[in-house]
Amino acid sequence: MIAILIAASMPGCASYYSHFAMFPAENSSGESRQVRLSWQSAEYPGWWFARNKATSVKVETQCSDRVWRVRDGDDADAGSCSTGIRACGESGMNLVARTGKPATESTRCMAINAGDPGARITGIGGKLELLVSCTPAVVTEGSGDESRNLDYIRASSVPYTVYVRKVPRGAMHARPPEFDEMACNAE
């Protein structure tokens, strides 16, 4: 009985991984940018009672301060705009690309593997499809030195095909590539 209690209190025999991808795309203003996706996961052996876990997928666009968090149904902050792996719109921040109307919290702005309503981040393999359905309502906020770029990857009716790298967390090469900020300063 004591052995069972000790085993139950231990974090388990998880393997921890970093996942990331970087690919070129245009932002909503038509500028060529790099887009980076990244998340962390804990994978447990099949005999362990715990399920695999993952953080939300962070979607960043070069030269932009806007960071999207794409979540699945296992995340309490996922929102109710859809099922599967998704990011919901924010009032005043997004427009529905197809119609130009304001997006709300019930609008799905981004989805990963949108064709699978039961998709979970822990199930993403070496390739994913990123569907972007919104555009920014405001591309920049503030002025002068206080200006912030809020632009992000261009919406598309066809999903972006993204190839993902998975490496053990803590390894020397476990960090996603950095953005080249020189492209941002040149503008």
Side-chain angles (χ1 to χ4, degrees):
M1 183 65 162
I2 292 174
I4 292 172
L5 290 174
I6 291 172
S9 66
M10 294 177 60
C13 303
S15 297
Y16 299 95
Y17 296 97
S18 295
H19 307 257
F20 52 88
M22 181 104 74
F23 64 98
E26 288 185 352
N27 62 15
S28 70
S29 300
E31 300 163 327
S32 181
R33 296 288 183 244
Q34 291 292 312
V35 178
R36 179 173 57 206
L37 280 69
S38 59
W39 71 97
Q40 307 288 320
S41 69
E43 297 179 8
Y44 293 90
W47 54 266
W48 192 253
F49 64 89
R51 290 183 11 195
N52 293 347
K53 297 180 181 311
T55 64
S56 59
V57 177
K58 187 162 61 166
V59 180
E60 303 167 279
T61 303
Q62 181 184 26
C63 304
S64 176
D65 293 322
R66 181 75 187 265
V67 177
W68 283 90
R69 294 284 181 173
V70 186
R71 306 170 191 277
D72 62 23
D74 293 337
D75 190 325
D77 295 327
S80 59
C81 60
S82 183
T83 58
I85 309 169
R86 75 281 191 175
C88 302
E90 294 178 53
S91 293
M93 294 291 292
N94 309 106
L95 302 172
V96 177
R98 190 174 23 84
T99 64
K101 294 183 179 178
T104 66
E105 288 78 15
S106 63
T107 306
R108 184 183 73 184
C109 283
M110 287 193 185
I112 293 176
N113 299 337
D116 182 1
R120 293 291 179 260
I121 295 169
T122 56
I124 296 174
K127 180 175 114 174
L128 63 83
E129 291 185 338
L130 175 66
L131 181 64
V132 181
S133 306
C134 292
T135 61
V138 177
V139 176
T140 57
E141 179 179 75
S143 61
D145 291 341
E146 302 298 317
S147 177
R148 290 182 38 195
N149 184 332
L150 301 176
D151 207 350
Y152 52 87
I153 185 172
R154 179 186 294 259
S156 175
S157 58
V158 176
Y160 295 91
T161 299
V162 181
Y163 294 92
V164 178
R165 185 169 182 194
K166 174 182 174 182
V167 295
R169 201 169 337 153
M172 293 276 298
H173 57 285
R175 301 190 70 182
E178 296 291 326
F179 287 128
D180 177 10
E181 297 300 328
M182 296 299 287
C184 307
N185 298 332
E187 295 173 357

